[in-house]
Amino acid sequence: MKTVKLKAENLYKVFGDQPKKALALINQGLDKDQIFAQTGHTLGVNKASFEVYEGEIFVVMGLSGSGKSTLVRLLNRLIEPTAGQIYIDNQEISQMSAKQLRQIRREKISMVFQSFALLPHMSVVDNAAFGLSLDGCDKKMALVKAMQALEQVGLAAYAHSYPAELSGGMQQRVGIARALATGSEIMLMDEAFSALDPLIRTEMQDELVKLQEKNRRTIIFISHDLDEAMRIGDRIAIMEHGNIVQIGTPEEILRNPATEYVESFFKGVSMSEVLSAKHLINKKFFSVPKKDSQGTQTISRLLNESDYDYAYLTNSEKTPIGVVTMESLHNARQSTDRLEDAFLDGVSCIDAETPINDIIGTMAEAPCPLPVVNEHKQMIGIMTRAKLLKALDPN
């Protein structure tokens, strides 16, 4: 069961000196433009309710002025909500005192902005340790944690360089390292890569996904770019005029856009162009850690007791090493009785980041659903031919 890390309930933000007047008009059904015409107040966020699960990358996207940056700043109260509640680990923060809020920010939540916001007179490691220093952390311990964070983003060798000596992508990594160094469980990233060149931006997206696999932080990522959202997001929330109009996985939104506005984002987009194996995996499968003591009889019994047609055998690192069926196990028992001789031929692993277009040929010839692995070659799910064909069917 998924754990809810952060939750927003009926969250509003009205910019102006009489927000209650604007809220009354909202309750009467007036939209953002009508409210501005009557009051001069701007509706930034309108009754936003959503949950973010622990360890997921939750992308919020929309056009300029849709309210996405306002929303993310409400979540750590950089901007005060006009109404509504915000919960972190079931603890409401919307009514916390300034002292309590500082404690939450120190321990649980950090933010990475579009601008790198590095201090030019400080070294890379000192920049990475800056958040810890502000929190009163011992300097020696702050530097140790900063170095660990720089290692995670691949910049340990540049610890004593200065920001001006780094490329834009490297500077952005320092900003991420600064957030990682605090050990915060939730990272808010507001258009964090939008100022980067396309190639560097893609590299940073890949780095973020890799870091996520290692650290399992909860990340709320603001973006206006569809490719970026599809590339990194576990789920996507789409905003329009301050409203969240749809939340879902990339596949769900592609297949069933809730409004014409959502559909316009994906106009002309082919599933095969934007989705990768990780978007289509089935996480329900039967795997068995292979041990020297196990033979065809043992695996047959385990498979027979399951509700599955295939058993995926893995090594101690959870890497797939073979797939068997009741029939292949029976045939192996009748000949050599070696478990390895029961492995199905033509089975190969699919990397989770592989684009769908590159999977079609492999799946067409596969004798069974194929194992999907992460960058550490650990099995995270299976790809079925039915799921692939469904994704390729525009209807």
Side-chain angles (χ1 to χ4, degrees):
M1 184 175 178
K2 294 180 179 178
T3 301
V4 174
K5 188 67 176 177
L6 182 146
K7 179 169 69 172
E9 287 186 348
N10 301 321
L11 205 56
Y12 292 88
K13 180 58 187 178
V14 176
F15 294 97
D17 55 7
Q18 292 183 299
K20 290 185 178 180
K21 183 178 179 181
L23 284 177
L25 295 177
I26 293 169
N27 292 330
Q28 294 174 26
L30 274 67
D31 63 23
K32 181 176 181 177
D33 292 337
Q34 291 170 323
I35 290 168
F36 183 77
Q38 290 194 29
T39 67
H41 288 50
T42 299
L43 177 59
V45 173
N46 183 20
K47 202 176 182 179
S49 296
F50 60 93
E51 295 177 341
V52 181
Y53 303 126
E54 186 174 46
E56 80 169 328
I57 300 180
F58 185 84
V59 179
V60 182
M61 65 176 298
L63 301 176
S64 296
S66 61
K68 54 190 186 296
S69 289
T70 300
L71 176 65
V72 77
R73 283 165 169 75
L74 292 174
L75 300 181
N76 62 354
R77 285 180 55 193
L78 282 180
I79 297 175
E80 291 294 336
T82 303
Q85 293 79 42
I86 304 157
Y87 299 88
I88 294 177
D89 291 331
N90 294 318
Q91 185 178 13
E92 186 179 358
I93 72 164
S94 41
Q95 301 300 322
M96 280 184 175
S97 66
K99 182 179 180 181
Q100 292 172 316
L101 185 59
R102 283 196 298 271
Q103 186 75 10
I104 285 289
R105 288 173 177 166
R106 277 199 298 265
E107 295 178 356
K108 293 197 174 184
I109 198 163
S110 58
M111 194 157 186
V112 181
F113 295 95
Q114 176 179 344
S115 60
F116 312 136
L118 302 183
L119 299 172
H121 63 285
M122 293 173 61
S123 68
V124 165
V125 67
D126 286 333
N127 266 287
F130 187 65
L132 290 166
S133 300
L134 287 179
D135 288 340
C137 179
D138 173 75
K139 185 174 181 180
K140 185 175 180 180
M141 180 58 67
L143 290 175
V144 169
K145 291 183 176 181
M147 280 300 300
Q148 291 172 344
L150 288 173
E151 287 175 5
Q152 288 180 319
V153 299
L155 288 179
Y158 296 88
H160 301 293
S161 301
Y162 286 84
E165 300 174 288
L166 305 183
S167 67
M170 294 166 76
Q171 290 181 37
Q172 187 65 73
R173 287 192 214 180
V174 178
I176 294 173
R178 182 167 53 199
L180 290 173
T182 64
S184 58
E185 300 163 15
I186 301 170
M187 290 176 64
L188 307 178
M189 304 185 73
D190 187 12
E191 300 272 14
F193 304 150
S194 61
L196 302 176
D197 293 335
L199 183 59
I200 298 174
R201 184 173 184 171
T202 300
E203 290 176 355
M204 287 306 303
Q205 292 163 5
D206 291 342
E207 288 291 334
L208 183 65
V209 172
K210 290 177 183 177
L211 283 170
Q212 181 66 352
E213 289 183 355
K214 295 176 183 176
N215 294 283
R216 303 308 299 169
R217 305 290 176 96
T218 302
I219 299 174
I220 301 173
F221 193 102
I222 306 301
S223 179
H224 64 269
D225 183 82
L226 173 63
D227 289 339
E228 183 167 70
M230 302 290 281
R231 188 180 183 88
I232 68 173
D234 294 304
R235 289 188 300 147
I236 301 172
I238 298 181
M239 295 191 71
E240 179 186 24
H241 301 318
N243 300 285
I244 295 178
V245 293
Q246 187 169 4
I247 297 175
T249 66
E251 183 187 3
E252 289 168 347
I253 296 177
L254 261 173
R255 189 171 296 285
N256 298 301
T259 66
E260 290 184 3
Y261 172 77
V262 176
E263 191 172 8
S264 69
F265 272 99
F266 300 93
K267 190 174 182 180
V269 173
S270 167
M271 281 254 196
S272 62
E273 292 174 355
V274 295
L275 295 184
S276 56
K278 68 181 180 183
H279 295 119
L280 302 180
I281 61 172
N282 187 341
K283 294 184 179 180
K284 293 182 178 180
F285 58 92
F286 182 61
S287 67
V288 180
K290 184 180 178 299
K291 302 174 183 176
D292 292 338
S293 59
Q294 292 173 334
T296 56
Q297 192 71 38
T298 302
I299 303 299
S300 292
R301 180 178 57 80
L302 292 172
L303 183 56
N304 189 49
E305 292 171 355
S306 76
D307 293 326
Y308 294 87
D309 296 323
Y310 303 94
Y312 294 82
L313 276 68
T314 60
N315 63 17
S316 58
E317 267 104 41
K318 298 182 180 180
T319 299
I321 56 175
V323 185
V324 298
T325 65
M326 289 298 292
E327 182 181 2
S328 72
L329 289 164
H330 173 76
N331 292 338
R333 264 199 319 276
Q334 297 302 309
S335 54
T336 63
D337 203 28
R338 292 179 66 253
L339 182 57
E340 287 76 6
D341 290 335
F343 291 174
L344 299 181
D345 294 328
V347 176
S348 58
C349 295
I350 299 175
D351 187 275
E353 300 298 329
T354 306
I356 290 178
N357 272 340
D358 296 341
I359 299 171
I360 298 172
T362 304
M363 283 300 304
E365 299 179 0
C368 65
L370 295 180
V372 179
V373 298
N374 61 20
E375 66 161 349
H376 305 297
K377 305 305 179 186
Q378 296 170 329
M379 188 171 177
I380 58 174
I382 59 173
M383 172 72 71
T384 67
R385 190 177 289 124
K387 193 78 178 277
L388 178 61
L389 290 173
K390 186 178 178 182
L392 294 172
D393 182 2
N395 298 314

